Structures are given as C-alpha cells and as structure tokens.
Amino acid sequence: ILVLDKTGTITIGTPEVVKEKIFKEFDKTLLYSLVSSSKHPVARGVAKYLKSNNPDIKNMPFDEFEQIPAHGIRGKTKDVELLGGNLRLMNNNGIDVSYGSENTLFCVAFDKKIVAIYELSDKIKEEAKEVIESISNYGVDVVMLTGDHEDIARRVSKEVGIENFIAQQAPQDKLKYIK
C-alpha cells in the first residue's frame, strides 16, 4: 500500500483563489495580516490573492494569533476578533455557514459574523496520473489522504485514478492512518 497526501504530492500545493464572495464589507488589511501570518497553503493562497488585488496592502500585528490545526487561524486586535478557515472552524465557533462548493473554502468571520468566503483550487501535477497508474500496475494499492472535504477528494482521486481516499483528515489523523 502507498499512502499519498493530496496537497503538494498529487497537486502542486499552491491553491489559488478562483472566487470571492463578500457578504459584508470589512477591513481587508486585517484579513491580509491574518492570512500572511500563516504557513498553510490555503491561507497563503488568500494572501497572494489579496496582495495581487491590493498591491499597497500592508501587514499589521495582532495582539493574539493562533493556528488551529486542520481548521484555520484566529487573530485578535483590541477592536476585533478574526477567524479564517474551513466550515468546521466556523461551526465550532457558533457561526452558522451553509455554503456548497467543489472547491476548497476559506471562510472569514469578524466578531463571529461571516463576512466573506474564498474558494480556492489547486492544480493537479502534470505527471501525477501517469505515475499513480504506473505504481498501480505493479499491484500497489494507492490511498490518498486529504484535509479537504469529500467532494474535492473524490474529484481529485478520480482525475488521477486513485480508487481509495479519505477526506477531512487532520495531520494527526493522517499520522494515525499510516501507523
């Protein structure tokens, strides 16, 4: 059996914003500062998008900053609390969001109110399908693990010829699967 992580192994690992849905106007400098502070590829994709649309945007410090593994990020200034991440992060913080998409979602809330959702997509590596097919031809079962939701996992695994995948896996879940 060969276990592969989706992001950066099967896909390029640099998700890009393909859609921005604004529900309420907000300070994009705060959001840029939040996502720029993260090392996660999805947050980095949002940061790149914000910078490309607002070249003069600057970073500002937060009084508090927290990475929430497999969910997102939280930042706090004296005036506002920001949350940025997936639907689970929003729901875990009492923010009701129902939004369907075949893309990766990055939801943004200011003071527990949803203000925007960014949809991101990551390109599949050119050689991924061919390499996976070659490995499978040797009788090796290939399994894809991803933190993304089920629809994305299904679409990517189908495109590259992987029959078995497990979606919505936090890093510790992936480690547990491998052990």
Side-chain angles (χ1 to χ4, degrees), residues 98-131:
S98 55
Y99 188 92
S101 174
E102 287 190 4
N103 295 309
T104 300
L105 299 179
F106 186 86
C107 305
V108 181
F110 276 52
D111 290 329
K112 307 243 183 223
K113 291 184 180 74
I114 194 81
V115 295
I117 295 179
Y118 293 85
E119 294 186 35
L120 296 93
S121 184
D122 194 3
K123 293 182 177 92
I124 294 174
K125 289 182 177 179
E126 281 184 35
E127 67 279 4
K129 183 175 182 171
E130 184 181 324
V131 169

PDB file of all heavy atoms in Angstrom, residues 98-131:
ATOM      1  N   SER A  98     -23.672  27.740   5.714  1.00  0.00           N
ATOM      2  CA  SER A  98     -24.005  26.653   4.792  1.00  0.00           C
ATOM      3  C   SER A  98     -23.683  27.171   3.393  1.00  0.00           C
ATOM      4  O   SER A  98     -24.324  28.102   2.907  1.00  0.00           O
ATOM      5  CB  SER A  98     -25.461  26.232   4.933  1.00  0.00           C
ATOM      6  OG  SER A  98     -26.320  27.319   4.760  1.00  0.00           O
ATOM      7  N   TYR A  99     -22.659  26.580   2.809  1.00  0.00           N
ATOM      8  CA  TYR A  99     -22.168  27.044   1.516  1.00  0.00           C
ATOM      9  C   TYR A  99     -21.560  25.844   0.823  1.00  0.00           C
ATOM     10  O   TYR A  99     -20.654  25.210   1.349  1.00  0.00           O
ATOM     11  CB  TYR A  99     -21.106  28.126   1.749  1.00  0.00           C
ATOM     12  CG  TYR A  99     -20.638  28.848   0.504  1.00  0.00           C
ATOM     13  CD1 TYR A  99     -21.258  30.014   0.098  1.00  0.00           C
ATOM     14  CD2 TYR A  99     -19.568  28.365  -0.241  1.00  0.00           C
ATOM     15  CE1 TYR A  99     -20.827  30.696  -1.034  1.00  0.00           C
ATOM     16  CE2 TYR A  99     -19.130  29.038  -1.373  1.00  0.00           C
ATOM     17  CZ  TYR A  99     -19.759  30.202  -1.760  1.00  0.00           C
ATOM     18  OH  TYR A  99     -19.316  30.864  -2.876  1.00  0.00           O
ATOM     19  N   GLY A 100     -22.072  25.505  -0.334  1.00  0.00           N
ATOM     20  CA  GLY A 100     -21.566  24.350  -1.058  1.00  0.00           C
ATOM     21  C   GLY A 100     -20.645  24.759  -2.197  1.00  0.00           C
ATOM     22  O   GLY A 100     -20.864  25.786  -2.840  1.00  0.00           O
ATOM     23  N   SER A 101     -19.618  23.974  -2.400  1.00  0.00           N
ATOM     24  CA  SER A 101     -18.678  24.236  -3.481  1.00  0.00           C
ATOM     25  C   SER A 101     -17.838  23.000  -3.732  1.00  0.00           C
ATOM     26  O   SER A 101     -17.607  22.205  -2.818  1.00  0.00           O
ATOM     27  CB  SER A 101     -17.759  25.406  -3.092  1.00  0.00           C
ATOM     28  OG  SER A 101     -16.752  25.582  -4.068  1.00  0.00           O
ATOM     29  N   GLU A 102     -17.361  22.852  -4.956  1.00  0.00           N
ATOM     30  CA  GLU A 102     -16.423  21.771  -5.271  1.00  0.00           C
ATOM     31  C   GLU A 102     -14.993  22.212  -5.011  1.00  0.00           C
ATOM     32  O   GLU A 102     -14.060  21.463  -5.244  1.00  0.00           O
ATOM     33  CB  GLU A 102     -16.584  21.330  -6.724  1.00  0.00           C
ATOM     34  CG  GLU A 102     -17.847  20.536  -6.954  1.00  0.00           C
ATOM     35  CD  GLU A 102     -17.865  19.895  -8.330  1.00  0.00           C
ATOM     36  OE1 GLU A 102     -16.880  19.993  -9.087  1.00  0.00           O
ATOM     37  OE2 GLU A 102     -18.897  19.282  -8.641  1.00  0.00           O
ATOM     38  N   ASN A 103     -14.831  23.451  -4.532  1.00  0.00           N
ATOM     39  CA  ASN A 103     -13.501  23.981  -4.261  1.00  0.00           C
ATOM     40  C   ASN A 103     -13.232  24.004  -2.761  1.00  0.00           C
ATOM     41  O   ASN A 103     -14.140  23.851  -1.955  1.00  0.00           O
ATOM     42  CB  ASN A 103     -13.384  25.405  -4.820  1.00  0.00           C
ATOM     43  CG  ASN A 103     -13.484  25.426  -6.325  1.00  0.00           C
ATOM     44  OD1 ASN A 103     -12.787  24.690  -7.011  1.00  0.00           O
ATOM     45  ND2 ASN A 103     -14.377  26.254  -6.847  1.00  0.00           N
ATOM     46  N   THR A 104     -11.980  24.227  -2.425  1.00  0.00           N
ATOM     47  CA  THR A 104     -11.601  24.413  -1.028  1.00  0.00           C
ATOM     48  C   THR A 104     -12.137  25.760  -0.572  1.00  0.00           C
ATOM     49  O   THR A 104     -12.029  26.754  -1.288  1.00  0.00           O
ATOM     50  CB  THR A 104     -10.062  24.390  -0.901  1.00  0.00           C
ATOM     51  OG1 THR A 104      -9.580  23.126  -1.366  1.00  0.00           O
ATOM     52  CG2 THR A 104      -9.625  24.605   0.530  1.00  0.00           C
ATOM     53  N   LEU A 105     -12.729  25.790   0.615  1.00  0.00           N
ATOM     54  CA  LEU A 105     -13.304  27.022   1.134  1.00  0.00           C
ATOM     55  C   LEU A 105     -12.443  27.612   2.243  1.00  0.00           C
ATOM     56  O   LEU A 105     -11.936  26.887   3.095  1.00  0.00           O
ATOM     57  CB  LEU A 105     -14.708  26.768   1.690  1.00  0.00           C
ATOM     58  CG  LEU A 105     -15.747  26.245   0.713  1.00  0.00           C
ATOM     59  CD1 LEU A 105     -17.073  26.020   1.430  1.00  0.00           C
ATOM     60  CD2 LEU A 105     -15.928  27.194  -0.463  1.00  0.00           C
ATOM     61  N   PHE A 106     -12.304  28.931   2.219  1.00  0.00           N
ATOM     62  CA  PHE A 106     -11.678  29.673   3.308  1.00  0.00           C
ATOM     63  C   PHE A 106     -12.700  30.725   3.725  1.00  0.00           C
ATOM     64  O   PHE A 106     -12.951  31.690   3.000  1.00  0.00           O
ATOM     65  CB  PHE A 106     -10.372  30.334   2.859  1.00  0.00           C
ATOM     66  CG  PHE A 106      -9.621  30.986   3.993  1.00  0.00           C
ATOM     67  CD1 PHE A 106      -8.748  30.236   4.762  1.00  0.00           C
ATOM     68  CD2 PHE A 106      -9.803  32.326   4.284  1.00  0.00           C
ATOM     69  CE1 PHE A 106      -8.050  30.824   5.811  1.00  0.00           C
ATOM     70  CE2 PHE A 106      -9.111  32.921   5.332  1.00  0.00           C
ATOM     71  CZ  PHE A 106      -8.233  32.170   6.100  1.00  0.00           C
ATOM     72  N   CYS A 107     -13.312  30.496   4.881  1.00  0.00           N
ATOM     73  CA  CYS A 107     -14.350  31.390   5.394  1.00  0.00           C
ATOM     74  C   CYS A 107     -13.717  32.429   6.303  1.00  0.00           C
ATOM     75  O   CYS A 107     -12.761  32.135   7.025  1.00  0.00           O
ATOM     76  CB  CYS A 107     -15.375  30.590   6.193  1.00  0.00           C
ATOM     77  SG  CYS A 107     -16.102  29.210   5.289  1.00  0.00           S
ATOM     78  N   VAL A 108     -14.271  33.627   6.292  1.00  0.00           N
ATOM     79  CA  VAL A 108     -13.749  34.726   7.097  1.00  0.00           C
ATOM     80  C   VAL A 108     -14.871  35.288   7.955  1.00  0.00           C
ATOM     81  O   VAL A 108     -15.937  35.632   7.439  1.00  0.00           O
ATOM     82  CB  VAL A 108     -13.179  35.851   6.211  1.00  0.00           C
ATOM     83  CG1 VAL A 108     -12.608  36.977   7.064  1.00  0.00           C
ATOM     84  CG2 VAL A 108     -12.126  35.303   5.250  1.00  0.00           C
ATOM     85  N   ALA A 109     -14.611  35.373   9.260  1.00  0.00           N
ATOM     86  CA  ALA A 109     -15.578  35.960  10.184  1.00  0.00           C
ATOM     87  C   ALA A 109     -14.900  37.044  11.006  1.00  0.00           C
ATOM     88  O   ALA A 109     -13.772  36.874  11.464  1.00  0.00           O
ATOM     89  CB  ALA A 109     -16.163  34.893  11.100  1.00  0.00           C
ATOM     90  N   PHE A 110     -15.600  38.156  11.152  1.00  0.00           N
ATOM     91  CA  PHE A 110     -15.185  39.244  12.037  1.00  0.00           C
ATOM     92  C   PHE A 110     -16.173  39.248  13.199  1.00  0.00           C
ATOM     93  O   PHE A 110     -17.382  39.344  12.976  1.00  0.00           O
ATOM     94  CB  PHE A 110     -15.249  40.589  11.313  1.00  0.00           C
ATOM     95  CG  PHE A 110     -14.036  40.923  10.487  1.00  0.00           C
ATOM     96  CD1 PHE A 110     -13.527  40.034   9.547  1.00  0.00           C
ATOM     97  CD2 PHE A 110     -13.402  42.147  10.637  1.00  0.00           C
ATOM     98  CE1 PHE A 110     -12.422  40.356   8.778  1.00  0.00           C
ATOM     99  CE2 PHE A 110     -12.291  42.480   9.875  1.00  0.00           C
ATOM    100  CZ  PHE A 110     -11.798  41.585   8.943  1.00  0.00           C
ATOM    101  N   ASP A 111     -15.660  39.132  14.405  1.00  0.00           N
ATOM    102  CA  ASP A 111     -16.517  39.117  15.595  1.00  0.00           C
ATOM    103  C   ASP A 111     -17.690  38.155  15.445  1.00  0.00           C
ATOM    104  O   ASP A 111     -18.846  38.507  15.676  1.00  0.00           O
ATOM    105  CB  ASP A 111     -17.003  40.536  15.938  1.00  0.00           C
ATOM    106  CG  ASP A 111     -15.871  41.415  16.452  1.00  0.00           C
ATOM    107  OD1 ASP A 111     -14.929  40.886  17.084  1.00  0.00           O
ATOM    108  OD2 ASP A 111     -15.922  42.638  16.214  1.00  0.00           O
ATOM    109  N   LYS A 112     -17.371  36.934  15.014  1.00  0.00           N
ATOM    110  CA  LYS A 112     -18.332  35.830  14.907  1.00  0.00           C
ATOM    111  C   LYS A 112     -19.426  36.044  13.861  1.00  0.00           C
ATOM    112  O   LYS A 112     -20.454  35.376  13.878  1.00  0.00           O
ATOM    113  CB  LYS A 112     -18.960  35.508  16.261  1.00  0.00           C
ATOM    114  CG  LYS A 112     -17.941  35.256  17.351  1.00  0.00           C
ATOM    115  CD  LYS A 112     -18.029  33.868  17.861  1.00  0.00           C
ATOM    116  CE  LYS A 112     -17.044  33.679  18.994  1.00  0.00           C
ATOM    117  NZ  LYS A 112     -16.339  32.464  18.941  1.00  0.00           N
ATOM    118  N   LYS A 113     -19.179  36.963  12.917  1.00  0.00           N
ATOM    119  CA  LYS A 113     -20.126  37.170  11.811  1.00  0.00           C
ATOM    120  C   LYS A 113     -19.389  36.929  10.496  1.00  0.00           C
ATOM    121  O   LYS A 113     -18.352  37.535  10.244  1.00  0.00           O
ATOM    122  CB  LYS A 113     -20.701  38.584  11.847  1.00  0.00           C
ATOM    123  CG  LYS A 113     -21.621  38.823  13.030  1.00  0.00           C
ATOM    124  CD  LYS A 113     -22.237  40.203  12.977  1.00  0.00           C
ATOM    125  CE  LYS A 113     -23.152  40.443  14.145  1.00  0.00           C
ATOM    126  NZ  LYS A 113     -22.488  40.660  15.418  1.00  0.00           N
ATOM    127  N   ILE A 114     -19.942  36.053   9.678  1.00  0.00           N
ATOM    128  CA  ILE A 114     -19.307  35.717   8.406  1.00  0.00           C
ATOM    129  C   ILE A 114     -19.316  36.950   7.494  1.00  0.00           C
ATOM    130  O   ILE A 114     -20.344  37.604   7.344  1.00  0.00           O
ATOM    131  CB  ILE A 114     -19.992  34.496   7.745  1.00  0.00           C
ATOM    132  CG1 ILE A 114     -19.137  33.933   6.617  1.00  0.00           C
ATOM    133  CG2 ILE A 114     -21.378  34.806   7.273  1.00  0.00           C
ATOM    134  CD1 ILE A 114     -18.047  33.056   7.069  1.00  0.00           C
ATOM    135  N   VAL A 115     -18.158  37.288   6.939  1.00  0.00           N
ATOM    136  CA  VAL A 115     -18.075  38.456   6.055  1.00  0.00           C
ATOM    137  C   VAL A 115     -17.676  38.069   4.631  1.00  0.00           C
ATOM    138  O   VAL A 115     -17.986  38.790   3.687  1.00  0.00           O
ATOM    139  CB  VAL A 115     -17.106  39.541   6.593  1.00  0.00           C
ATOM    140  CG1 VAL A 115     -17.631  40.120   7.900  1.00  0.00           C
ATOM    141  CG2 VAL A 115     -15.693  39.022   6.742  1.00  0.00           C
ATOM    142  N   ALA A 116     -16.991  36.932   4.481  1.00  0.00           N
ATOM    143  CA  ALA A 116     -16.543  36.531   3.137  1.00  0.00           C
ATOM    144  C   ALA A 116     -16.227  35.043   3.097  1.00  0.00           C
ATOM    145  O   ALA A 116     -15.922  34.429   4.122  1.00  0.00           O
ATOM    146  CB  ALA A 116     -15.298  37.332   2.738  1.00  0.00           C
ATOM    147  N   ILE A 117     -16.294  34.507   1.902  1.00  0.00           N
ATOM    148  CA  ILE A 117     -15.824  33.142   1.638  1.00  0.00           C
ATOM    149  C   ILE A 117     -14.996  33.189   0.364  1.00  0.00           C
ATOM    150  O   ILE A 117     -15.408  33.764  -0.647  1.00  0.00           O
ATOM    151  CB  ILE A 117     -16.988  32.138   1.482  1.00  0.00           C
ATOM    152  CG1 ILE A 117     -17.745  32.000   2.809  1.00  0.00           C
ATOM    153  CG2 ILE A 117     -16.467  30.784   1.000  1.00  0.00           C
ATOM    154  CD1 ILE A 117     -18.933  31.060   2.764  1.00  0.00           C
ATOM    155  N   TYR A 118     -13.827  32.592   0.445  1.00  0.00           N
ATOM    156  CA  TYR A 118     -12.939  32.479  -0.715  1.00  0.00           C
ATOM    157  C   TYR A 118     -12.930  31.016  -1.142  1.00  0.00           C
ATOM    158  O   TYR A 118     -12.778  30.124  -0.313  1.00  0.00           O
ATOM    159  CB  TYR A 118     -11.521  32.943  -0.358  1.00  0.00           C
ATOM    160  CG  TYR A 118     -11.461  34.425  -0.074  1.00  0.00           C
ATOM    161  CD1 TYR A 118     -11.749  34.920   1.188  1.00  0.00           C
ATOM    162  CD2 TYR A 118     -11.172  35.324  -1.092  1.00  0.00           C
ATOM    163  CE1 TYR A 118     -11.734  36.283   1.441  1.00  0.00           C
ATOM    164  CE2 TYR A 118     -11.150  36.688  -0.846  1.00  0.00           C
ATOM    165  CZ  TYR A 118     -11.430  37.155   0.420  1.00  0.00           C
ATOM    166  OH  TYR A 118     -11.424  38.512   0.661  1.00  0.00           O
ATOM    167  N   GLU A 119     -13.103  30.792  -2.434  1.00  0.00           N
ATOM    168  CA  GLU A 119     -12.998  29.444  -2.988  1.00  0.00           C
ATOM    169  C   GLU A 119     -11.641  29.331  -3.656  1.00  0.00           C
ATOM    170  O   GLU A 119     -11.246  30.215  -4.425  1.00  0.00           O
ATOM    171  CB  GLU A 119     -14.098  29.188  -4.019  1.00  0.00           C
ATOM    172  CG  GLU A 119     -15.487  29.174  -3.428  1.00  0.00           C
ATOM    173  CD  GLU A 119     -16.543  28.765  -4.447  1.00  0.00           C
ATOM    174  OE1 GLU A 119     -16.246  27.906  -5.307  1.00  0.00           O
ATOM    175  OE2 GLU A 119     -17.658  29.310  -4.371  1.00  0.00           O
ATOM    176  N   LEU A 120     -10.924  28.242  -3.349  1.00  0.00           N
ATOM    177  CA  LEU A 120      -9.594  28.035  -3.910  1.00  0.00           C
ATOM    178  C   LEU A 120      -9.518  26.688  -4.605  1.00  0.00           C
ATOM    179  O   LEU A 120     -10.209  25.733  -4.238  1.00  0.00           O
ATOM    180  CB  LEU A 120      -8.526  28.083  -2.816  1.00  0.00           C
ATOM    181  CG  LEU A 120      -8.372  29.421  -2.101  1.00  0.00           C
ATOM    182  CD1 LEU A 120      -9.226  29.469  -0.850  1.00  0.00           C
ATOM    183  CD2 LEU A 120      -6.927  29.672  -1.761  1.00  0.00           C
ATOM    184  N   SER A 121      -8.652  26.626  -5.606  1.00  0.00           N
ATOM    185  CA  SER A 121      -8.419  25.387  -6.328  1.00  0.00           C
ATOM    186  C   SER A 121      -6.919  25.199  -6.513  1.00  0.00           C
ATOM    187  O   SER A 121      -6.185  26.169  -6.706  1.00  0.00           O
ATOM    188  CB  SER A 121      -9.118  25.439  -7.688  1.00  0.00           C
ATOM    189  OG  SER A 121      -8.984  24.214  -8.358  1.00  0.00           O
ATOM    190  N   ASP A 122      -6.494  23.953  -6.427  1.00  0.00           N
ATOM    191  CA  ASP A 122      -5.082  23.604  -6.583  1.00  0.00           C
ATOM    192  C   ASP A 122      -4.956  22.708  -7.814  1.00  0.00           C
ATOM    193  O   ASP A 122      -5.739  21.771  -7.986  1.00  0.00           O
ATOM    194  CB  ASP A 122      -4.597  22.862  -5.335  1.00  0.00           C
ATOM    195  CG  ASP A 122      -3.096  22.757  -5.239  1.00  0.00           C
ATOM    196  OD1 ASP A 122      -2.390  23.305  -6.105  1.00  0.00           O
ATOM    197  OD2 ASP A 122      -2.612  22.116  -4.290  1.00  0.00           O
ATOM    198  N   LYS A 123      -4.004  23.001  -8.668  1.00  0.00           N
ATOM    199  CA  LYS A 123      -3.824  22.231  -9.901  1.00  0.00           C
ATOM    200  C   LYS A 123      -3.166  20.883  -9.614  1.00  0.00           C
ATOM    201  O   LYS A 123      -2.255  20.785  -8.799  1.00  0.00           O
ATOM    202  CB  LYS A 123      -2.970  23.018 -10.891  1.00  0.00           C
ATOM    203  CG  LYS A 123      -3.644  24.263 -11.413  1.00  0.00           C
ATOM    204  CD  LYS A 123      -2.746  24.963 -12.428  1.00  0.00           C
ATOM    205  CE  LYS A 123      -3.448  26.163 -13.005  1.00  0.00           C
ATOM    206  NZ  LYS A 123      -3.198  27.396 -12.313  1.00  0.00           N
ATOM    207  N   ILE A 124      -3.625  19.879 -10.345  1.00  0.00           N
ATOM    208  CA  ILE A 124      -3.019  18.550 -10.253  1.00  0.00           C
ATOM    209  C   ILE A 124      -1.701  18.573 -11.034  1.00  0.00           C
ATOM    210  O   ILE A 124      -1.635  19.139 -12.129  1.00  0.00           O
ATOM    211  CB  ILE A 124      -3.979  17.476 -10.806  1.00  0.00           C
ATOM    212  CG1 ILE A 124      -5.210  17.388  -9.886  1.00  0.00           C
ATOM    213  CG2 ILE A 124      -3.287  16.131 -10.937  1.00  0.00           C
ATOM    214  CD1 ILE A 124      -6.297  16.482 -10.397  1.00  0.00           C
ATOM    215  N   LYS A 125      -0.681  17.959 -10.454  1.00  0.00           N
ATOM    216  CA  LYS A 125       0.614  17.895 -11.134  1.00  0.00           C
ATOM    217  C   LYS A 125       0.464  17.126 -12.445  1.00  0.00           C
ATOM    218  O   LYS A 125      -0.243  16.116 -12.508  1.00  0.00           O
ATOM    219  CB  LYS A 125       1.656  17.194 -10.249  1.00  0.00           C
ATOM    220  CG  LYS A 125       2.067  18.019  -9.062  1.00  0.00           C
ATOM    221  CD  LYS A 125       3.131  17.274  -8.255  1.00  0.00           C
ATOM    222  CE  LYS A 125       3.600  18.125  -7.088  1.00  0.00           C
ATOM    223  NZ  LYS A 125       4.616  17.411  -6.280  1.00  0.00           N
ATOM    224  N   GLU A 126       1.142  17.606 -13.478  1.00  0.00           N
ATOM    225  CA  GLU A 126       1.022  17.011 -14.812  1.00  0.00           C
ATOM    226  C   GLU A 126       1.293  15.511 -14.822  1.00  0.00           C
ATOM    227  O   GLU A 126       0.612  14.749 -15.488  1.00  0.00           O
ATOM    228  CB  GLU A 126       1.994  17.694 -15.786  1.00  0.00           C
ATOM    229  CG  GLU A 126       1.496  19.023 -16.293  1.00  0.00           C
ATOM    230  CD  GLU A 126       2.437  19.618 -17.324  1.00  0.00           C
ATOM    231  OE1 GLU A 126       3.037  18.862 -18.119  1.00  0.00           O
ATOM    232  OE2 GLU A 126       2.571  20.856 -17.326  1.00  0.00           O
ATOM    233  N   GLU A 127       2.319  15.092 -14.088  1.00  0.00           N
ATOM    234  CA  GLU A 127       2.742  13.699 -14.131  1.00  0.00           C
ATOM    235  C   GLU A 127       2.007  12.806 -13.138  1.00  0.00           C
ATOM    236  O   GLU A 127       2.188  11.584 -13.135  1.00  0.00           O
ATOM    237  CB  GLU A 127       4.254  13.605 -13.882  1.00  0.00           C
ATOM    238  CG  GLU A 127       4.705  14.008 -12.484  1.00  0.00           C
ATOM    239  CD  GLU A 127       4.843  15.503 -12.239  1.00  0.00           C
ATOM    240  OE1 GLU A 127       4.521  16.325 -13.126  1.00  0.00           O
ATOM    241  OE2 GLU A 127       5.260  15.859 -11.130  1.00  0.00           O
ATOM    242  N   ALA A 128       1.136  13.368 -12.292  1.00  0.00           N
ATOM    243  CA  ALA A 128       0.511  12.608 -11.207  1.00  0.00           C
ATOM    244  C   ALA A 128      -0.255  11.376 -11.701  1.00  0.00           C
ATOM    245  O   ALA A 128      -0.053  10.271 -11.197  1.00  0.00           O
ATOM    246  CB  ALA A 128      -0.408  13.512 -10.384  1.00  0.00           C
ATOM    247  N   LYS A 129      -1.123  11.555 -12.683  1.00  0.00           N
ATOM    248  CA  LYS A 129      -1.944  10.437 -13.150  1.00  0.00           C
ATOM    249  C   LYS A 129      -1.066   9.313 -13.707  1.00  0.00           C
ATOM    250  O   LYS A 129      -1.272   8.138 -13.399  1.00  0.00           O
ATOM    251  CB  LYS A 129      -2.940  10.913 -14.208  1.00  0.00           C
ATOM    252  CG  LYS A 129      -3.859   9.808 -14.682  1.00  0.00           C
ATOM    253  CD  LYS A 129      -4.920  10.305 -15.622  1.00  0.00           C
ATOM    254  CE  LYS A 129      -5.815   9.135 -15.990  1.00  0.00           C
ATOM    255  NZ  LYS A 129      -6.983   9.553 -16.735  1.00  0.00           N
ATOM    256  N   GLU A 130      -0.085   9.680 -14.501  1.00  0.00           N
ATOM    257  CA  GLU A 130       0.805   8.683 -15.115  1.00  0.00           C
ATOM    258  C   GLU A 130       1.613   7.921 -14.054  1.00  0.00           C
ATOM    259  O   GLU A 130       1.732   6.695 -14.114  1.00  0.00           O
ATOM    260  CB  GLU A 130       1.751   9.396 -16.086  1.00  0.00           C
ATOM    261  CG  GLU A 130       2.664   8.479 -16.857  1.00  0.00           C
ATOM    262  CD  GLU A 130       3.588   9.278 -17.777  1.00  0.00           C
ATOM    263  OE1 GLU A 130       3.157  10.309 -18.332  1.00  0.00           O
ATOM    264  OE2 GLU A 130       4.735   8.837 -17.928  1.00  0.00           O
ATOM    265  N   VAL A 131       2.140   8.628 -13.078  1.00  0.00           N
ATOM    266  CA  VAL A 131       2.943   7.992 -12.026  1.00  0.00           C
ATOM    267  C   VAL A 131       2.079   7.058 -11.180  1.00  0.00           C
ATOM    268  O   VAL A 131       2.474   5.933 -10.876  1.00  0.00           O
ATOM    269  CB  VAL A 131       3.637   9.062 -11.143  1.00  0.00           C
ATOM    270  CG1 VAL A 131       4.243   8.444  -9.903  1.00  0.00           C
ATOM    271  CG2 VAL A 131       4.695   9.813 -11.946  1.00  0.00           C
TER     272      VAL A 131
END
